[in-house]
């Protein structure tokens, strides 16, 4: 084995190399804000409106002039009623306006009194008595306190999520410019793989396993905003594999495969990519992970030169595939979409376990936050145990050779960060 061992490459160096080759997709499309969940914004969204547009009430109650309410127990005459969606008249000294949440504050008023703090004499319902001190500005939402006119509310390169869609809608944007979805072709290698549904569990031949990677990789790609084509199982022949990959490269920005990148493995995907373009097979100093293939297939440059179709080959072990997707494919796709990473720093959380025998490689442990502010470790960290990724809610990033003890603060990424 040692004769074939290559020096290990750090994950950061591998990422830098890959990202240095990526050009962001330039084609932009306009989509309805309604349908833009998960898309990558390709414009700075500038507000043509202040939100809220006017000072308005944050309570159901009475708009008053605060200087009229001294001392506590003062009475005012209710002269108008302002429901949300309407606007009132100027409030004169000694007057109050019945007002509801969201309704604009009438000119002259400078405070709102909650209806709970007001008493109304049934014999004289237009007269209210205020039973609390009133400070200027209370229960008023100021114009522009959410969004001020002319500001960038959503920057180019931000991934649109539910709150972003709401904010865009709050300034009246019915459409948004987004980057076209990356087109990714997905394939799995391995003669042992069987698609669920094809063979019942009781009838599985010895040595065969179900293809699990294909399911989570497809879902991960879709969550990353990609259009996924499933190439299925590639033919067991070099020329046929080259034909499939050559064709796929025309239509796609990335071909993603899992399995078959281990040292000495026999399959046709690696030689096919090599024959059609460029392929690097790296040994990455990470665990799970290690083998990783990166390259590209040049597209036929019939009219204008086009960016190549990239190729990424992930290891076959399910947890290795899952973790390398998060660490490698995700940032790659983000760069391809011209996206900007939002939260770059991991959380620092204490571990509630010991880690006495670290690996020489950087290690990503599957852990779960417990109810005591710390992290628990899934007991089996094997790269084949996909249960660890389901039980866990995130990854701890352990530096090469680092011994850890109960209570040590470690960098922790929740899966929610990587999956958005
Ligand atoms: P490989 O990277 O091809 O050497 O595969 C390493 C291990 O992962 C082997 O035990 C494979 O059977 C398994 N494996 C490869 N591809 C898949 C897949 N798509 N789904 C589940 N297990 C896989
Ligand atoms: Mg294999």
């Amino acid at each position: 084995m040692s004769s074939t061992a290559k020096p290990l490459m750090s994950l950061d160096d591998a990422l830098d190399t890959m990202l240095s080759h990526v050009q962001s997709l330039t084609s932009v499309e306009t989509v309805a804000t309604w349908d833009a969940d998960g898309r990558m914004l390709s414009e700075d969204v500038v507000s043509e409106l202040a939100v809220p547009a006017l000072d308005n009430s944050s309570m159901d109650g009475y708009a008053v002039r605060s200087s009229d309410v001294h001392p506590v127990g003062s009475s005012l005459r209710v002269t108008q009623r302002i429901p949300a969606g309407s606007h009132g008249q100027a409030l004169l000294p000694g007057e109050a306006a019945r007002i509801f949440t969201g309704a604009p504050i009438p000119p002259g008023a400078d405070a709102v009194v909650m209806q709970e703090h007001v008493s109304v004499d049934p014999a004289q319902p237009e007269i209210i008595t205020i039973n609390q001190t009133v400070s200027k500005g209370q229960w008023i939402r100021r114009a522009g306190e959410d969004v001020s006119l002319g500001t960038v509310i959503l920057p180019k390169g931000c991934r649109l999520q539910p709150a972003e869609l709401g904010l865009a809608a709050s300034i009246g944007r019915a459409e948004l410019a987004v980057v076209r979805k990356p087109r990714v072709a997905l394939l799995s290698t391995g003669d042992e793989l069987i698609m669920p549904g094809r063979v019942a569990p009781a009838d599985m031949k010895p040595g065969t396993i179900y293809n699990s990677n294909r399911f989570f990789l497809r879902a991960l790609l879709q969550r990353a905003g990609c259009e996924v084509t499933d190439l299925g199982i590639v033919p067991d022949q070099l020329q046929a594999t080259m034909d499939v990959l050559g064709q796929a490269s025309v239509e796609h920005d990335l071909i993603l495969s899992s399995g078959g990148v281990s040292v000495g493995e026999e399959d046709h995907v690696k030689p096919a990519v090599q024959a059609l373009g460029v392929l690097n097979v790296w040994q990455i100093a990470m665990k799970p992970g290690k083998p990783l293939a990166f390259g590209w297939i040049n597209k036929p440059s019939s009219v204008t030169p086009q960016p190549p179709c990239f190729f990424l080959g992930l290891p076959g072990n399910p947890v290795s595939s899952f973790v390398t997707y998060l660490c490698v494919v995700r940032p790659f796709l983000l760069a391809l979409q011209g996206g900007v990473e939002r939260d770059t720093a991991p959380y620092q959380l204490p571990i509630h376990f010991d880690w006495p025998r670290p690996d020489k490689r950087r290690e990503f442990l599957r852990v779960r936050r417990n109810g005591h502010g710390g992290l628990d470790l899934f007991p089996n960290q094997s790269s084949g145990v996909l249960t660890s990724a389901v039980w866990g809610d995130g990854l701890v990033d352990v530096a090469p050779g680092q011994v850890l003890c109960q209570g040590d603060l470690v960098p922790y990424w929740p899966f929610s960060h990587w999956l958005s």
Side-chain angles (χ1 to χ4, degrees), residues 295-352:
W296 55 85
I297 297 173
N298 291 313
K299 293 184 180 173
S301 54
S302 49
V303 194
T304 44
Q306 291 191 59
C309 172
F310 290 99
F311 176 86
L312 271 167
L314 306 182
N317 273 310
V319 184
S320 306
S321 228
F322 186 76
V323 171
T324 45
Y325 176 94
L326 301 181
C327 295
V328 171
V329 185
R330 179 186 171 278
F332 184 85
L333 289 170
L334 194 69
L336 191 65
Q337 295 171 84
V340 177
E341 191 75 82
R342 227 163 51 157
D343 307 308
T344 46
Y347 294 95
Q348 297 291 327
L349 292 182
I351 51 168
H352 287 183

Side-chain angles (χ1 to χ4, degrees), residues 189-193 258-262 265-267 316:
T189 72
D191 293 340
E192 71 280 29
L193 300 178
S258 81
V261 280
S262 309
E265 182 137 359
E266 283 304 314
D267 88 90

